[in-house]
Amino acid sequence: MDEYKQGPRREDDKPNSDVPNMEGPNHSEDEIRQEPNRIEEGIGNDSDHVDAVNHENRTNVELEKQAEPMRYSERPKKDTKRRGGFLPALLGAIIGGVVVWLLMNATLGNESNSSVLEKTTGESNLTTERVSLDVNTDVTEIVSKVADTVVGITNMQTVRDFWSSTETTQERGTGSGVIYKKTGDKAYIVTNHHVVENAQELEITFDDGTKVDGKLIGSDVWTDLAVVEIDAEHVKTAIEFGDSDTLKRGETVIAIGNPLGLGFAGSVTMGIVSGKDRSIPIDLDQNGTVDWQADVLQTDAAINPGNSGGALINVAGQLIGINSMKITQETVEGIGLAIPINIAIPIIQDLEMTGTVNRPTMGVSLLDLRDVPYQQQQEVLKLPKDVTAGVIVTEVFRNTPAEAAGVERYDVIVEMDGEKIEDMVNLRKHLYNKKEVGDQMSMKVYREGKLIEIEMELKDGNTF
């Protein structure tokens, strides 16, 4: 009974296999009854044997326990040495991670910032704001300085109505001009001759839109220049003349004017000096014959119809040219032309003082030798065969320097002051650009096939 009260036995408490099983089928009741006596006798007689058996059993149990795998319930004890090194290792890992993060952030900072900015801007317009900038450069300051000196000029002409026979004044064209002088209650504007040609009235428009009447003082067809007078009440300032002779190719220039009319008033274009001392043939009377060679500056600053008469200025804000024309051939682009201010100044002064340009003249009418057939050159003029260029005197006017010097009809001029003369363009340039009223001039001519020399004193006039 005590055996049952002890509860379940552990494996090491189980009976040894050497103890007889009393419940086995091979034992009789008598044997069962006798078994305790034998056990007691065995115990009493051989206690050493029993102790040996028990020791062997305990040894076997311990070996079985060592061979069994470790159960979860029997956790191994932690090593105190390893626990002591964990915190430093963790701290080192954290520091290393921070260093790596900082290096990556420094390397990819720009890309990250730009991507974040793009994301922010793209997702919400609330993160953007308008910023007002006041941008000032040398060009803007120059333009602001001279803008008030460039004006618009409207050519008003009287037009007769065919059906009602009434006359009305209408706009016939627009151009530009530059205020170059203010004195007293008057101011003066320089522009192109073709801008004011045949005008009955001139209307001047300032940069701020103010309009006043203009009065034509004089114009010159050969240089395409004109001077207009206005009331100085609304004139704030006048432009300063520069020196066009000191310009260099590649130098920056600025063109200001009214291309395509007053709708584009005050337009500013910028370019460079593309070339100096260009000679451009001009057909003044539109008859297909070149009448004049204009000396001009070439620039790639855009100059369009309406820019004529406007200002070409340098980076100092000085007037160095009067925009005059533009080559409009289909194959040409970016070639603008302007009258050099050094050529224009004496013309402007003459026009302002007298209304005309005082030029030296001979008092003759002329014709290019190249326009005469070769047979007439030989039979009428009796020229040597090697003379193929020159200018023929077709008429000598009375009371002129040519008549006083003895010039005759059909004289062929081939030289002036030692300079070869090939056509009327060369003759005009020599006479108008190199001679003054009252100067003496020597001239070589062929007369009846013979070369002779003539001296004359030049006087003022409106013909050659």
Side-chain angles (χ1 to χ4, degrees):
M1 294 299 293
D2 295 338
E3 185 176 349
Y4 291 102
K5 291 179 181 181
Q6 293 177 356
R9 297 178 180 176
R10 294 180 299 177
E11 291 182 359
D12 55 348
D13 293 333
K14 290 180 181 181
N16 195 286
S17 59
D18 293 338
V19 180
N21 188 358
M22 299 170 69
E23 294 180 359
N26 297 326
H27 300 281
S28 62
E29 293 181 2
D30 293 336
E31 291 175 341
I32 294 173
R33 292 190 191 100
Q34 295 177 357
E35 189 64 28
N37 294 329
R38 289 197 298 268
I39 293 174
E40 291 177 358
E41 292 178 356
I43 294 174
N45 296 333
D46 196 2
S47 59
D48 295 335
H49 175 74
V50 173
D51 293 337
V53 171
N54 292 335
H55 175 71
E56 182 179 357
N57 290 337
R58 284 193 299 270
T59 303
N60 291 335
V61 171
E62 291 176 357
L63 293 175
E64 290 177 357
K65 288 182 179 181
Q66 293 178 0
E68 288 181 358
M70 184 182 294
R71 296 184 177 90
Y72 290 106
S73 62
E74 298 178 0
R75 294 179 180 176
K77 295 181 179 181
K78 296 182 180 180
D79 190 354
T80 56
K81 294 182 180 180
R82 295 182 58 186
R83 178 183 297 177
F86 174 74
L87 291 178
L90 178 60
L91 181 60
I94 294 174
I95 295 174
V98 171
V99 171
V100 172
W101 180 82
L102 290 174
L103 291 175
M104 293 181 65
N105 187 54
T107 304
L108 304 176
N110 293 335
E111 296 180 1
S112 300
N113 291 336
S114 62
S115 62
V116 170
L117 179 61
E118 292 175 359
K119 181 177 180 181
T120 303
T121 305
E123 291 179 354
S124 176
N125 290 331
L126 297 178
T127 60
T128 62
E129 61 177 307
R130 294 182 178 179
V131 179
S132 178
L133 298 178
D134 185 11
V135 179
N136 287 312
T137 65
D138 291 341
V139 175
T140 59
E141 291 179 0
I142 292 168
V143 172
S144 176
K145 175 183 175 181
V146 303
D148 292 333
T149 67
V150 181
V151 298
I153 299 179
T154 304
N155 185 326
M156 309 293 290
Q157 297 183 17
T158 300
V159 179
R160 182 183 296 274
D161 187 350
F162 176 79
W163 300 106
S164 62
S165 298
T166 59
E167 293 183 350
T168 58
T169 302
Q170 298 180 0
E171 175 184 326
R172 301 298 294 176
T174 59
S176 306
V178 186
I179 302 173
Y180 70 90
K181 183 178 180 180
K182 179 181 179 181
T183 176
D185 60 349
K186 300 295 182 182
Y188 298 91
I189 300 170
V190 57
T191 184
N192 288 146
H193 165 80
H194 71 267
V195 171
V196 299
E197 188 175 14
N198 299 324
Q200 271 82 40
E201 296 179 12
L202 293 175
E203 185 178 77
I204 310 302
T205 305
F206 289 89
D207 188 56
D208 61 1
T210 303
K211 296 180 181 295
V212 299
D213 292 333
K215 176 184 176 182
L216 179 62
I217 299 300
S219 65
D220 181 53
V221 64
W222 300 106
T223 56
D224 195 26
L225 290 171
V227 171
V228 177
E229 181 185 87
I230 61 172
D231 191 358
E233 178 183 357
H234 300 286
V235 177
K236 299 177 182 179
T237 184
I239 202 166
E240 177 185 353
F241 287 143
D243 186 356
S244 58
D245 290 340
T246 62
L247 291 174
K248 298 179 179 64
R249 285 183 298 174
E251 183 175 339
T252 300
V253 291
I254 302 169
I256 306 177
N258 309 306
L260 307 180
L262 297 178
F264 294 87
S267 294
V268 178
T269 57
M270 186 169 69
I272 61 172
V273 176
S274 303
K276 297 175 59 180
D277 302 324
R278 303 298 198 207
S279 293
I280 303 299
I282 299 175
D283 180 9
L284 296 174
D285 52 11
Q286 305 297 319
N287 63 353
T289 302
V290 175
D291 299 310
W292 181 246
Q293 289 277 356
D295 294 325
V296 295
L297 293 172
Q298 178 188 340
T299 177
D300 65 347
I303 298 176
N304 296 282
N307 274 117
S308 292
L312 187 69
I313 63 176
N314 57 20
V315 293
Q318 298 173 328
L319 184 65
I320 49 90
I322 305 297
N323 300 326
S324 180
M325 64 196 101
K326 180 182 179 182
I327 298 176
T328 56
Q329 298 177 11
E330 294 181 359
T331 57
V332 177
E333 182 65 29
I335 296 181
L337 303 173
I339 304 168
I341 198 62
N342 286 15
I343 293 177
I345 287 176
I347 307 299
I348 294 172
Q349 292 173 344
D350 284 347
L351 292 176
E352 181 186 332
M353 296 298 296
T354 66
T356 60
V357 178
N358 297 320
R359 288 194 174 93
T361 60
M362 297 184 294
V364 296
S365 61
L366 304 172
L367 177 67
D368 283 339
L369 179 62
R370 294 169 180 171
D371 294 335
V372 177
Y374 178 76
Q375 183 179 359
Q376 297 296 322
Q377 293 180 16
Q378 298 297 310
E379 295 180 358
V380 177
L381 303 177
K382 299 178 179 173
L383 291 174
K385 293 182 179 180
D386 59 344
V387 177
T388 59
V391 179
I392 306 171
V393 176
T394 58
E395 185 176 357
V396 179
F397 298 107
R398 298 182 60 182
N399 300 322
T400 61
E403 184 183 43
V407 177
E408 297 182 5
R409 187 182 184 188
Y410 298 148
D411 283 349
V412 179
I413 303 170
V414 294
E415 187 177 304
M416 285 182 171
D417 295 324
E419 180 179 333
K420 188 176 182 180
I421 301 299
E422 295 184 349
D423 51 32
M424 288 190 294
V425 174
N426 293 141
L427 189 147
R428 283 193 183 101
K429 293 190 69 172
H430 180 82
L431 198 62
Y432 293 166
N433 297 343
K434 297 182 180 181
K435 308 302 291 188
E436 299 288 342
V437 175
D439 289 349
Q440 292 287 327
M441 183 179 69
S442 63
M443 183 171 63
K444 290 183 178 180
V445 302
Y446 276 99
R447 182 183 296 170
E448 298 290 333
K450 295 180 181 181
L451 186 62
I452 62 175
E453 188 171 347
I454 299 175
E455 294 285 337
M456 73 173 66
E457 180 181 354
L458 298 174
K459 293 184 180 180
D460 183 23
N462 295 322
T463 64
F464 284 117

